[in-house]
Amino acid sequence: MKSFKRMAAVAAVAVAGPTILTATPAMAADQPAVIVPDVAPKEDAADAGTPTPAVPAVPGVQTPAPVPVPAPAVPAPAVPDAQAPAPQPAPVAEKAAKDAKSEADTQDAEAEADGILMGPEVTVAGIPKNGFKADGSWTTLQVTVDNGGHIAVPNYTPNISVDGYGAEFKPSQIKVEWQTPGGTWKPAELAQGEAHGSSLQYSFGTDPSLAKGTSYTVDVRIAFAKDTPVVPFDLTSAGQSRVGNHVNHSPSAWYNATIAGAVDDRENPFVEGPALTVNGVPETIKAGGDWTNLSVRVDNSGKEALKGFNVGLVLARPDWVKMKPSQIKVEVLSKDKNGKAGWHEAEVWSEEESVFFGIDLAGGPVAAGQSFDVQFRIRFAADAPLGAVSIFSWGSSQVGPDTPTPWADSRSRARLTTIVAASTNTGGNGNQPNPNGGAKPITDTTGTTGTTGTTGGELAATGSDPATTWALGGAGVALAMGAALVAGTGRRRRTTA
């Protein structure tokens, strides 16, 4: 069993604290892809009966304390006989009104920043490699809202933000529009102010009910005026769910972008690693049932060889219902420390009770262009809390503080399943190894092929799967720790657009 001391040492490289993130843009750009949460939940007296999601404590990594959020200002009662203030000169009145509006916007934003979501994930495609032209011309981006690994979300609004590196952008220098389902281009809603720092945030379209397991893409076009500073900038994608006066934020991803002609001297220690896909995840898994067979597809097509690459798994409860590590069992088809291929138990780590769980699956070399499946199987104890479980895979060539950069970094899309009660009329104990107790598997729709969860234990004896050449576990604990944070509470840098 790995010591928490070593896990903390490796995690120190994988997880960067908010102090580093907020120091300077250069420092933030130097940090690895996993960033500790930038949105802290708070307790709300109006919702005292509903527990607020908490950021998980990670051994060896200090989690920032929740930031107190001031209550909304309550206007003083009107006094009938109060003397009206004397009229002010136009410039003074205009400035006073502007200051009052700015303060009100800031208080409103802070008061409504109630909590966090584990999804959906909002990503951006179409960012030009040579930079955005500052000539007023449009560049069309594709913003995808992926709720495939998350439960239903009400009133969800995606957004993107731009934040200049070395110079601030002015609202007059940027135009952003989004295309409605009817094909009409509509101006995006701009939000700025103290709550957003130097960022300009643009929102577009609210889905009144974003169903679980669904995704959609919005075309967004952006134009920069001729007087826009020629600098690098961060382009961030995120989103929020508003119910009444309460807002919950989903994790954000951000990208290195530039205005054409700018010199981008920001360092990025990560490059795109093999594509990962979790396959065979069924719609339901029965508590107390037999093994459910799954796999992670590792696709290194078009990429260079890696001397070492570790693949981990993260299980998360988007319903924020806590579980115990003892209620989860995972076995992986790989070699043990003695070189014997077969099904070997993988350690499930977390706190005693948590909503995030990390598992090291296996690690080893990956040849240029190689693709294969890492087989694993999972079962939940009879007393496991029923409800939604999000599953995704994380991988990296990073094995410690001394690993040379760049690091290959990968993350799969999340898959959603539901733990259900075992049936009393099955004649057995729930799930069957093939085909997962009759549950319909959720298959990959990206064109990547892989196993569908029906592979039995016979591969353990033959060793026919390429991944059985990998060793059990590896040095990927920090990756899983970081992935768990990112899954529900934080931000991560994208290595490609």
Side-chain angles (χ1 to χ4, degrees):
M1 177 177 178
K2 303 178 181 67
S3 69
F4 280 112
K5 182 177 181 181
R6 187 185 185 287
M7 287 195 295
V10 181
V13 180
V15 182
T19 302
I20 296 178
L21 179 64
T22 57
T24 66
M27 292 176 66
D30 287 341
Q31 302 312 309
V34 179
I35 304 298
V36 165
D38 60 343
V39 177
K42 73 176 185 68
E43 296 182 356
D44 194 303
D47 291 330
T50 304
T52 302
V55 178
V58 179
V61 179
Q62 185 177 1
T63 303
V67 179
V69 180
V74 179
V79 181
D81 297 330
Q83 183 177 359
Q88 300 293 322
V92 176
E94 182 178 350
K95 182 179 184 303
K98 183 177 180 180
D99 291 344
K101 183 180 186 303
S102 176
E103 181 178 358
D105 289 344
T106 300
Q107 290 178 345
D108 181 65
E110 291 177 345
E112 293 176 345
D114 293 331
I116 53 179
L117 300 169
M118 292 188 188
E121 183 175 3
V122 183
T123 56
V124 180
I127 299 174
K129 294 181 179 180
N130 296 326
F132 292 85
K133 296 180 180 179
D135 58 3
S137 61
W138 291 109
T139 298
T140 302
L141 307 173
Q142 293 75 45
V143 178
T144 298
V145 179
D146 183 4
N147 204 40
H150 195 252
I151 57 180
V153 182
N155 299 320
Y156 189 78
T157 305
N159 61 65
I160 60 172
S161 300
V162 294
D163 190 1
Y165 175 74
E168 291 188 14
F169 293 146
K170 300 177 182 178
S172 61
Q173 295 167 335
I174 304 174
K175 291 183 179 180
V176 180
E177 296 181 349
W178 64 280
Q179 192 171 38
T180 67
T184 303
W185 288 100
K186 182 177 180 180
E189 182 178 348
L190 170 63
Q192 62 180 131
E194 184 177 345
H196 300 281
S198 58
S199 296
L200 302 177
Q201 183 185 93
Y202 299 88
S203 302
F204 31 86
T206 297
D207 191 320
S209 181
L210 183 58
K212 70 175 184 179
T214 60
S215 64
Y216 66 91
T217 298
V218 180
D219 282 342
V220 176
R221 62 185 186 184
I222 184 170
F224 294 88
K226 292 182 179 180
D227 62 341
T228 303
V230 181
V231 296
F233 66 94
D234 280 343
L235 191 153
T236 307
S237 57
Q240 59 188 28
S241 169
R242 179 184 295 271
V243 179
N245 195 43
H246 304 283
V247 175
N248 290 328
H249 301 265
S250 63
S252 59
W254 80 107
Y255 307 79
N256 284 349
T258 63
I259 300 298
V263 176
D264 192 353
D265 58 356
R266 294 172 293 181
E267 295 182 10
N268 187 358
F270 288 90
V271 296
E272 184 180 7
L276 302 180
T277 306
V278 179
N279 285 298
V281 179
E283 293 180 350
T284 61
I285 298 178
K286 297 176 182 178
D290 288 327
W291 292 108
T292 294
N293 293 284
L294 310 174
S295 68
V296 175
R297 182 71 170 177
V298 180
D299 185 356
N300 203 37
S301 300
K303 300 181 178 68
E304 297 181 0
L306 298 172
K307 294 182 179 179
F309 188 74
N310 301 298
V311 174
L313 193 72
V314 172
L315 305 182
R317 292 295 301 252
D319 55 8
W320 296 95
V321 174
K322 290 186 176 181
M323 295 177 61
K324 299 178 180 179
S326 59
Q327 294 170 326
I328 305 170
K329 297 295 182 183
V330 177
E331 290 185 350
V332 59
L333 186 64
S334 63
K335 294 192 303 182
D336 62 13
K337 62 182 180 180
N338 297 318
K340 182 180 179 180
W343 289 108
H344 302 292
E345 184 174 359
E347 180 183 359
V348 178
W349 62 262
S350 76
E351 299 175 356
E352 179 59 26
E353 287 190 334
S354 180
V355 293
F356 295 107
F357 303 89
I359 302 102
D360 281 336
L361 294 181
V366 181
Q370 184 183 19
S371 298
F372 56 88
D373 296 306
V374 178
Q375 308 279 350
F376 68 97
R377 58 189 186 184
I378 187 172
R379 66 192 303 178
F380 295 104
D383 62 346
L386 309 183
V389 175
S390 180
I391 303 175
F392 68 90
S393 181
W394 188 282
S396 179
S397 61
Q398 176 190 353
V399 295
D402 298 326
T403 304
T405 57
W407 298 313
D409 179 57
S410 306
R411 183 184 186 275
S412 76
R413 290 181 59 193
R415 303 296 193 193
L416 187 69
T417 188
T418 303
I419 302 176
V420 298
S423 303
T424 58
N425 58 354
T426 61
N429 60 346
N431 307 312
Q432 301 301 315
N434 186 1
N436 296 329
K440 180 182 178 182
I442 300 173
T443 56
D444 179 53
T445 57
T446 61
T448 302
T449 58
T451 60
T452 58
T454 59
T455 302
E458 66 275 5
L459 285 182
T462 64
S464 60
D465 190 291
T468 58
T469 62
W470 275 15
L472 175 70
V477 174
L479 305 175
M481 293 170 67
L485 289 172
V486 170
T489 59
R491 314 197 310 173
R492 68 187 183 95
R493 182 177 295 280
R494 287 278 179 167
T495 56
T496 61

